Each structure stands twice: as C-alpha cells, then as structure tokens.
C-alpha cells in the first residue's frame, strides 16, 4: 500500500495549490516512537553520505469509525496491528526488502507511553500485534526491540484505505491455487486468476484461515503476491495516466493514512515516493521473517533460526534479490545529483560527525594507542571533546554506546574501518572506543583481523532467506496457496473442514469476484 500511496501523491503533487492543500489536510499523524526506553534509532550513512530508509507499514484492524465498523464488524475501541511490513530501501536506492512480521509472533514487548508521558502499554511477553493498543509508536518500539533496526517512519493503513486504494488503481490481479472460502474473512473465489477491487481486495489481504496452514504465514505470503501485483499495476504503462483516476488514488491514499511527523505533509510523502519509485520491480524482495511454532501454544509463533541473521543483513543494507545494482545503473557508482533541484558537480559530502564525542581507551600493551586514535577521530571530523579514557586490557576492539546512540557508534566504527559487529550496547553514558590486542598499529582497523567478521563476505541471499517465504515484485507466476487442512468451520456442520470443502458447501454465498 505504501508504494500506491506515495506514488500517487508524488504524481499529483504538482497539480496546483488547491489540490496540494486538500491532500495535505487529509493526512493524520502520531508520534514515531512511544517506547518508555530508547528511541527509534538512526541510520548509518554510507561512504557517500547516503542513508537507507526503513518504514514500518502497519495494517490496523481498528473499527473506531462508522465506515471501518461496518466493514469489519465487532465494533468498538482498541486496535491490533494485523499487518506489520518492514520496508527497507537501500542507501543507493537500487533494491528494497519488504519483510513481514507475523501478527502471531510472541516476543518481549516494551512498555509504551503517550505524549504526556502516561503509561499506555505495559512491558510484557505477548503477541506483537497487541502493541497497536498503545498507538503506532508502540508498535514501532516493539519492532525496534525485536529487530534492533532503526525505524525512520511508519505508515498506518485502515480497512477503508485498502478498499479505496484497490479501487483507485483499477483492481489488483491475483491468483488462487484452488477454490477457496474463508468464512471469517468472507473471501470466496474459484480456482485461478481474478482482479480484486473494493471489499474483495480487503477480504483477500485479511484471509488467514483460507491460505497455507491457517496461520499468519499463509496470509503473509498472499499479501506479498497482492502487493507485488499492486506494484506492477502502479508501475505499468497507462495505469496512472488518467487524471481522474490519479486524483482519486491520491485522495484515497492520503485519507487512509496515519503517519509519523516526518511524513505528515505532501512534500515529505513525495520525497519518499520518489525514492521508492527508483527501485526496479525485480529488485524488490518480499519475505517473512523466520518463525517456529510455540511449544506452549500451537496457534502462536516464536522467532526462528536465521531471523537474527536476516535482521542483521537488512541492517547492513544488503540486497536480498542477489547481485549489485544493474550494469550502468547510477546506483552502482557514487550517487548522481537529483535533477530537481540542480545539484553540485561534486559527490555529496560525508556525514556530519561534529556532534559525536568519543572516549578512547587503550586495551593493548602499546603506549600511546589511545592518543593516536583520538587524533585520527578528530581529523575525521568527530567532536573536539573526543579524548582518552582510563586504560584497561581487551582482546578484541569494540565500540560501545549508551541507549539511543547506536547510529553514532556505527559512524565511529565505519570511520575506523571496524565491522558493524564491533558495535555493542554499553553500560556507560558515553560512546567508547576500546582498542583491543587485535589492533596494535595504525589508525585504520586491519582487514581480516583475527576474531572479527571484518573479512567475511556478505551472506548469500539464499542462505539468509532459508526458512523464509520469499518472492520478488516482478514474479507473475505465483498463486496464493489454498490450505488443505481443517482450518475453517461452517454453521450446521460438525467439526472443521478445508477451505475447499467450505467452498463446495457454501453455494449460496456469492463469489467475491468473478
């Protein structure tokens, strides 16, 4: 949905002042981070000063307005994050990853507070979707805690938004592997291809019991197919050339969104849309984090083997579609300047480090190591207050940081050639560079030093995605896999049945789409 919303807004932004203010007035906002501890994190610039973008897309099941209430039933207050998609756009804009975090995932959740500092969500172990009860900033805090990835923005979409945006793009083509009826989402489709609009589109993305094993894993896979198809619709020739449809799409998109203050204006959404539009469809990877069944509750999931490595790869800005930027792509070299506004002829300046103060401690037996690194850091633009601290002993070099200062610590590591794995949370109030016995000479960390991952090549995408359902946005061959287990039930029938059996036994229920 984010591609649809941002792309539509970007394409309509130049249509005139009245339209600008109309769309701007549609957008609602809420704080980015509501955790009681820490913050949303900060991205680490690459060698050219470019930064990745991480956007958490939240699908809310809220029914607190008449329209959503009528659509979803079970009216009342409260909300759950039924969809959590973490969109990562690489620093060079050559690739993107969309990672689903299943709603059924049980993990350690942070405590959250509102703008006034009042507690609105208690720290607990529970399903990650429950954090939306503390607001979208609470869900951001939970995803931050789970993945240790910085979250730059969030976009929350409600039921009505899914319906209106699918209508505005003229429908979204999808395929189902078998006849399916999910009486909980009310999706009823025959085997094969369909173009879904309005309520049918919402039924499809909400369907859980009808796909896969009846859990959120099957639903996430179907959502990836839907979103990939929507990306192709948006990028396809002629889809957005009709001014009336374009205005309808932008109007629906902005009315459907709640965003953080960093995106609460047309100009800001346009910038995001332009960044996203640079990524080719074949380099947009959809995946679901690795999970396992919870032994204590078969309907719940726990973080699985490989998930931490997947999070780390995303944090290291690694493409999961394989390979680097396309040959001849501007992203394969130093970044070119944007066409508007005119750009300087030279490459962008590096990140501003003047506000980062570092305490350097010598953990080697070599006299003067801390002083040498202090001077090197000052010359690299770090704060003049950077100075030496008490000496100690250490086997490996590390950069430690207090809560909320991870991004700054990563800049220290990057400036010295240290691997990202050398950055660790510390107990003190300062960013500290501890020089270990693995670095006794020079002011640039030696590549391949023993005991570190400095020389390790990026992990193979196939390895990173092992145990994680994955596809790319250009793949048109996939069908949502209808489940063949007893995951649904019908009035008048005993026990459970498959979604295919439910289809056959519900001939009086109209099809969601022809």
């Amino acid at each position: 949905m984010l591609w649809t919303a941002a792309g539509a807004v970007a394409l309509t932004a130049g249509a005139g002042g009245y339209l600008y203010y109309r769309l701007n007035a549609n957008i609602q906002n809420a704080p980015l981070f509501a955790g009681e501890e820490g913050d949303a994190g900060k991205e680490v610039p690459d060698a050219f000063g470019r930064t990745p973008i991480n956007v958490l897309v939240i699908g809310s099941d809220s029914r607190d307005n008449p329209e959503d209430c009528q659509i979803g039933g079970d009216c009342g207050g409260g909300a759950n994050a039924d969809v959590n998609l973490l969109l990562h756009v690489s620093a060079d804009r050559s690739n993107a990853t969309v990672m689903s975090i299943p709603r059924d995932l049980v993990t350690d959740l942070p405590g959250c507070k509102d703008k006034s500092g009042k507690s609105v969500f208690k720290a607990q172990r529970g399903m990650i979707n429950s954090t939306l009860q503390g607001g979208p900033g609470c869900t951001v805090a939970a995803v931050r805690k789970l993945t240790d990835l910085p979250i730059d923005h969030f976009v929350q979409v409600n039921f009505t938004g899914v319906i209106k945006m699918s209508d505005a793009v003229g429908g979204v083509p999808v395929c189902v592997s078998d006849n399916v009826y999910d009486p909980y989402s009310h999706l009823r489709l025959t085997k094969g291809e369909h173009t879904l609009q309005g309520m049918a589109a919402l039924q499809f993305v909400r369907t859980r019991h009808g796909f896969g094993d009846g859990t959120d894993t099957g639903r996430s896979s179907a959502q990836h197919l839907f979103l990939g198809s929507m990306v192709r619709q948006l990028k396809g020739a002629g889809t957005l050339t009709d001014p009336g449809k374009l205005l309808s799409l932008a109007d629906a998109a902005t009315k459907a969104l709640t965003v953080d203050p960093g995106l609460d204006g047309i100009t800001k959404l346009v910038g995001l849309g332009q960044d996203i539009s640079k990524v080719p469809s074949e380099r947009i990877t959809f995946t679901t984090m690795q999970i396992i069944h919870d032994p204590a509750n078969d309907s719940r999931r726990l973080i699985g083997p490989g998930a931490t490595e997947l999070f780390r790869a995303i944090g290291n800005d690694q493409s999961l579609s394989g390979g680097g930027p396309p040959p001849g792509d501007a992203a394969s070299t130093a970044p070119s300047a944007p066409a508007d506004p005119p750009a300087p002829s030279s490459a962008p300046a590096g990140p501003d480090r003047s506000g980062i103060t570092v305490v350097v401690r010598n953990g080697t037996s070599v006299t003067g190591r801390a002083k040498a690194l202090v001077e090197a850091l000052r010359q690299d633009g770090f704060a003049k207050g950077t100075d030496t601290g008490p000496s100690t002993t250490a086997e490996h070099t590390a950069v430690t940081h207090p809560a909320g200062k991870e991004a700054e610590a990563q800049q220290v590591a990057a400036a010295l050639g240290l691997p990202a794995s050398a950055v660790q949370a510390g107990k003190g109030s300062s960013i500290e560079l501890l020089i270990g016995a693995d670095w006794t000479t020079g002011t640039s960390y030696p590549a391949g030093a023993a005991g570190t991952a400095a020389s390790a090549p990026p992990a193979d995408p196939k390895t990173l995605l092992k145990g994680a359902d994955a596809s790319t946005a250009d793949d048109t061959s996939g069908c949502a896999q209808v489940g063949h287990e007893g995951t649904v039930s019908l009035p008048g029938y005993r026990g459970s049945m498959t979604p295919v059996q439910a289809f056959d036994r519900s001939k009086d229920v109209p099809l969601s789409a022809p």
Side-chain angles (χ1 to χ4, degrees):
M1 290 300 171
L2 182 54
W3 266 276
T4 309
V9 171
L11 289 167
T12 56
Y18 167 73
L19 180 55
Y20 177 94
Y21 287 111
R22 171 179 161 182
L23 297 179
N24 224 41
N26 288 342
I27 303 172
Q28 302 180 63
N29 74 78
L32 172 63
F33 187 83
E36 292 180 339
E37 297 180 356
D39 57 29
K42 293 182 180 179
E43 301 288 358
V44 179
D46 68 6
F48 300 112
R50 305 168 299 188
T51 55
I53 307 170
N54 284 332
V55 184
L56 182 63
V57 182
I58 304 169
S60 169
D61 71 352
S62 172
R63 292 131 163 116
D64 59 0
N65 66 67
E67 197 168 4
D68 283 337
C69 169
Q70 184 177 6
I71 293 169
D74 189 24
C75 305
N80 289 308
D82 267 4
V83 178
N84 287 303
L85 297 166
L86 183 62
L87 165 66
H88 172 85
V89 184
S90 67
D92 63 9
R93 307 300 186 254
S94 70
N95 64 85
T97 298
V98 181
M99 182 184 73
S100 289
I101 301 171
R103 67 182 292 276
D104 300 328
L105 180 72
V106 174
T107 186
D108 292 327
L109 305 175
C112 298
K113 57 188 177 181
D114 62 16
K115 292 180 180 179
S116 67
K118 179 183 177 182
S119 177
V120 292
F121 188 87
K122 293 183 178 180
Q124 59 190 278
R125 186 166 179 80
M127 284 174 57
I128 197 164
N129 73 329
S130 65
T131 55
L132 194 56
Q133 297 166 18
C138 190
T139 303
V140 167
V143 173
R144 167 74 170 150
K145 182 179 179 69
L146 170 70
T147 64
D148 198 32
L149 293 169
I151 310 296
D152 306 300
H153 302 290
F154 76 79
V155 173
Q156 180 179 310
V157 185
N158 57 22
F159 288 166
T160 308
V162 176
I163 290 174
K164 290 183 176 179
M165 282 190 277
S166 65
D167 281 344
V169 297
V172 180
V174 299
C175 170
V176 292
S177 65
D178 298 273
N179 294 343
V180 58
Y181 178 45
D182 183 338
Y184 308 106
S185 69
H186 307 295
L187 179 75
R188 187 169 185 264
L189 293 173
T190 56
K191 175 181 178 179
E193 297 182 356
H194 304 273
T195 297
L196 304 184
Q197 291 184 258
M199 187 64 74
L202 179 64
Q203 291 171 350
F204 186 87
V205 298
R206 292 188 68 202
T207 292
R208 180 159 57 104
H209 297 86
F211 296 138
D213 61 359
T215 68
D216 213 42
T217 305
R219 175 163 65 174
S220 294
S221 179
Q223 288 170 351
H224 295 165
L225 294 173
F226 183 91
L227 291 170
S229 181
M230 183 172 274
V231 169
R232 294 191 298 274
Q233 285 287 94
L234 191 63
K235 287 176 174 282
T239 302
L240 294 176
T241 57
D242 184 317
K245 288 184 178 180
L246 190 55
L247 174 57
S248 175
L249 176 54
D251 199 38
T254 50
K255 285 179 179 177
L257 305 181
T258 300
V259 300
D260 67 278
L263 289 178
D264 66 350
I266 296 302
T267 303
K268 298 171 185 177
L269 277 172
V270 167
L272 178 61
Q274 289 172 338
D275 281 328
I276 293 173
S277 67
K278 296 175 184 177
V279 184
S281 297
E282 68 272 15
R283 293 180 179 274
I284 301 170
T285 300
F286 293 99
T287 188
T288 301
M289 63 169 282
Q290 293 91 337
I291 52 173
I292 58 173
H293 285 75
D294 183 349
N297 187 339
D298 192 55
S299 64
R300 300 290 179 262
R301 299 294 179 265
L302 303 175
I303 185 170
T308 300
E309 288 74 18
L310 177 60
F311 301 157
R312 186 178 298 118
I314 293 172
N316 289 337
D317 205 21
Q318 180 177 344
S319 170
L320 298 182
S321 58
D329 192 304
S332 63
T333 60
S336 59
D340 183 22
S345 58
S346 60
D352 182 9
R353 301 162 172 167
S354 61
I356 303 175
T357 301
V358 187
V359 175
V360 183
R361 302 179 65 194
N362 187 2
T364 76
S365 58
V366 179
T367 303
R369 288 295 294 143
K371 187 174 181 180
L373 269 297
V374 164
E375 183 61 28
L377 288 169
R378 288 177 179 172
Q379 289 181 2
D380 274 345
F382 289 89
K384 294 181 179 179
T386 294
D387 210 338
T388 60
S391 298
T392 182
T393 57
E395 183 178 355
H396 299 298
T397 301
V399 180
T400 60
H401 62 87
K405 295 292 184 180
E406 180 185 0
E408 289 87 342
Q410 288 285 4
Q411 288 197 48
V412 175
L416 297 171
L418 283 159
S421 58
V423 177
Q424 306 165 8
K427 297 181 179 179
S429 58
S430 304
I431 295 175
E432 293 192 2
L433 167 64
L434 175 58
I435 312 167
D438 56 351
W439 190 14
T440 56
T441 61
T443 56
S444 181
Y445 189 71
T452 76
S455 60
D460 177 52
K462 292 183 179 179
T463 301
L464 291 169
L465 295 172
K466 184 178 181 180
D469 176 71
S471 62
T472 52
D474 67 326
D475 185 2
T476 61
S477 63
C479 275
Q481 296 300 303
V482 176
H484 290 273
E485 301 176 28
T487 55
V488 300
S489 60
L490 290 173
Y493 292 90
R494 288 186 177 181
S496 60
M497 65 186 73
T498 70
V500 178
Q501 291 171 326
F503 179 94
D504 294 335
R505 295 172 182 177
S506 303
K507 299 185 187 301
D508 58 327
V509 177
L511 293 172
S512 299

